[in-house]
Amino acid sequence: MKRSALQKIIGAMGGQSLFLLTNMLSFLIVVKIFTPEEFAAWGFYLSLMALLDGIRQGLIQNGLTRFLIQYPDQEKSLMGSALALHLIFIGILSLLLFVFAAPISTFWNLPEMEALFRYSWLTLLASGSLQTFYSLLFAKGKSRVYFIFNLAYLVGIGMVLLVLLSLGKPGLLELLWGQNAISLLLLAIGLRLSNWFQWGLPTLPWMRKLLAFGKHVAGTNAFSLLFQKADLWMIGFLLDAKSVALFLLATKIIQYIDLPLTSLSQMLYPRFAATGRSQNTNELNLEMARGILLLFVLILPGVLLVLIFSETLILILSTEEYLEAAPLIILLGLASLAKPWGRVFGMALDAMGKPQINMHMLAFSLVVNVAANALFIPIYGVGGAAFATSLSTVLTIGLGQVKIRKYLEILPFDQQLALIKSIITKNLNLKTP
């Protein structure tokens, strides 16, 4: 592996690790000092914000990255058009959530969420804009800058948490304001100091092109995030706050196991986009094999960690009353081993100009997941949700392996493994039998 590529990986992984570590600090405060009802409300709120921001990212960011690579001379118009769509999206969603804050909170019987939804504009504007800034850094190959900003984010949030705790038990709103104030400050500094981006006035043609491409990616992101959150929301509807808390803890730990998927996908996608521009299927298969290998190798240690030390991790992160989450973590961890294939397939479809196919495949995955959760949760409780999600993850990725070959010249599974093996032997200078 070339040194520059290794530096980018380290920057991406290190930066994402710092970002998730920062979020973990907030999570530890919530799980340790708040009631299960407050913990559940916080988790539900963040899960909905993640869904909405994922839709926004798909609507704007993937298309923006792709077009910046294809039309570098149009950067000013592209950036201005993307910014306009970004602000319009946030404005519409914030208004809707403000109006429907009470009904949403009542539906899940979590009144603590109502006050949080009144300030959804803050989360969408601050955290959403910062994530967009990070994506643009990846598009420009600035992984080192990404690492530095996330280090600053960790220090800033740490200071805010220390101040809040020194003043007594903070409320959820204080935590919300503290986190997003740091996000806005970093965003302002980044935009003020950086000379990596060129800004211009938005144009209707580019706004239409971004939406035309992004609508399918947004749908894909929505189905993917609904797939991830469906079990949690169904637990909240069918079971109690304690079950929600157990599952939230399990999924938070799995989020760290899946770190390479979330961090390196932003780095890998521009490579797929460049391959898609050339329409070279041999190069695409090679990039896919490299991507799968890289993600699998990096996700494997985390999976082994939770398989061996699940109860220890729970005691470190929370208290003994959450030990029941251990089997959930093991089931969800095993399913993570299949995710590198699913993530790479999705990026390949988007890069080759077929985001609608990726969206259809994830819609099918969502249906399978909801059906499995509806079947197993009433019978096995929160453990049924973990089993249903794990089963549907492996099943739908396996079926996707078959379906994707109808649209792209992708190698069969056994040939993919052979290609991956050849990459390993070549890079390690091993002799093939």
Side-chain angles (χ1 to χ4, degrees):
M1 183 179 296
K2 294 181 179 179
R3 185 174 180 180
S4 59
L6 181 60
Q7 289 175 339
K8 289 182 179 180
I9 292 172
I10 293 173
M13 287 288 293
Q16 190 67 18
S17 298
L18 291 171
F19 182 79
L20 290 178
L21 177 60
T22 307
N23 290 339
M24 179 61 80
L25 290 177
S26 301
F27 168 77
L28 289 175
I29 289 176
V30 173
V31 74
K32 286 182 179 292
I33 72 174
F34 288 125
T35 66
E37 290 76 18
E38 289 172 323
F39 179 40
W42 181 256
F44 265 79
Y45 172 76
L46 292 183
S47 68
L48 183 57
M49 291 301 101
L51 170 64
L52 297 176
D53 194 60
I55 294 172
R56 180 200 58 78
Q57 289 181 37
L59 194 65
I60 302 169
Q61 288 176 202
N62 281 24
L64 178 60
T65 300
R66 190 170 189 262
F67 292 141
L68 283 174
I69 292 172
Q70 294 180 339
Y71 307 100
D73 58 321
Q74 297 291 312
E75 181 173 333
K76 288 186 177 181
S77 296
L78 269 168
M79 294 292 289
S81 301
L83 178 62
L85 291 175
H86 174 75
L87 295 175
I88 291 170
F89 184 86
I90 289 174
I92 293 173
L93 280 181
S94 299
L95 180 61
L96 290 174
L97 289 171
F98 186 89
V99 172
F100 293 102
I104 294 172
S105 303
T106 302
F107 178 79
W108 273 298
N109 194 28
L110 291 170
E112 295 85 357
M113 275 202 305
E114 183 175 351
L116 294 173
F117 279 128
R118 303 291 183 190
Y119 291 95
S120 59
W121 62 270
L122 179 62
T123 302
L124 292 170
L125 180 63
S127 299
S129 298
L130 186 61
Q131 288 301 314
T132 298
F133 177 70
Y134 286 162
S135 295
L136 291 172
L137 289 178
F138 277 110
K140 293 287 187 175
K142 303 292 183 180
S143 58
R144 182 171 176 270
V145 178
Y146 173 70
F147 177 86
I148 293 171
F149 267 82
N150 274 308
L151 180 59
Y153 184 68
L154 172 61
V155 174
I157 294 295
M159 293 176 63
V160 166
L161 293 176
L162 284 175
V163 171
L164 290 176
L165 290 173
S166 67
L167 297 175
K169 177 186 173 181
L172 293 178
L173 284 179
E174 286 83 359
L175 198 59
L176 185 71
W177 272 100
Q179 285 184 327
N180 289 294
I182 297 298
S183 295
L184 286 173
L185 177 61
L186 286 176
L187 181 66
I189 293 172
L191 294 178
R192 177 68 180 85
L193 297 180
S194 70
N195 57 357
W196 307 302
F197 314 117
Q198 301 181 55
W199 300 91
L201 294 175
T203 63
L204 284 176
W206 272 122
M207 291 175 71
R208 291 194 190 101
K209 287 183 179 180
L210 286 168
L211 290 174
F213 182 87
K215 63 185 179 182
H216 298 297
V217 183
T220 298
N221 286 1
F223 289 132
S224 176
L225 287 163
L226 282 171
F227 181 93
Q228 298 173 32
K229 308 300 180 184
D231 41 22
L232 177 65
W233 294 348
M234 293 178 73
I235 290 169
F237 183 74
L238 296 172
L239 303 177
D240 53 17
K242 176 64 182 297
S243 298
V244 172
L246 289 172
F247 203 80
L248 275 172
L249 178 65
T251 54
K252 176 60 68 173
I253 292 174
I254 295 302
Q255 182 182 12
Y256 283 84
I257 303 307
D258 293 344
L259 168 63
L261 303 179
T262 53
S263 60
L264 292 185
S265 292
Q266 297 180 75
M267 188 194 76
L268 291 174
Y269 181 76
R271 295 176 61 92
F272 281 93
T275 303
R277 184 181 182 183
S278 68
Q279 296 292 313
N280 187 324
T281 55
N282 290 331
E283 186 64 26
L284 176 63
N285 275 293
L286 183 59
E287 287 294 340
M288 287 182 64
R290 289 170 176 164
I292 291 170
L293 175 61
L294 178 62
L295 294 179
F296 185 81
V297 167
L298 293 175
I299 206 173
L300 182 59
V303 173
L304 295 176
L305 182 67
V306 298
L307 292 179
I308 300 171
F309 300 107
S310 58
E311 293 188 356
T312 303
L313 289 173
I314 291 171
L315 292 175
I316 292 173
L317 298 175
S318 58
T319 61
E320 290 184 359
E321 63 180 330
Y322 288 94
L323 284 174
E324 297 173 55
L328 314 181
I329 298 170
I330 291 173
L331 281 172
L332 295 170
L334 287 171
S336 290
L337 293 175
K339 292 179 182 177
W341 275 265
R343 186 60 61 96
V344 168
F345 291 163
M347 287 191 291
L349 284 167
D350 287 351
M352 300 301 284
K354 300 181 184 295
Q356 70 277 13
I357 306 302
N358 195 22
M359 183 181 71
H360 296 159
M361 291 169 63
L362 280 165
F364 171 74
S365 300
L366 176 61
V367 171
V368 173
N369 191 28
V370 170
N373 275 282
L375 174 63
F376 291 112
I377 290 177
I379 300 174
Y380 302 108
V382 68
F387 177 75
T389 298
S390 301
L391 177 66
S392 55
T393 297
V394 176
L395 178 63
T396 54
I397 289 176
L399 293 174
Q401 162 77 27
V402 177
K403 188 171 182 179
I404 191 175
R405 295 181 60 204
K406 296 181 180 179
Y407 306 100
L408 299 177
E409 295 181 30
I410 301 301
L411 295 174
F413 183 69
D414 58 336
Q415 294 182 32
Q416 286 178 13
L417 291 180
L419 181 57
I420 291 171
K421 180 181 177 182
S422 69
I423 293 172
I424 295 172
T425 55
K426 179 180 179 181
N427 282 277
L428 295 181
N429 295 320
L430 299 176
K431 293 182 179 180
T432 56

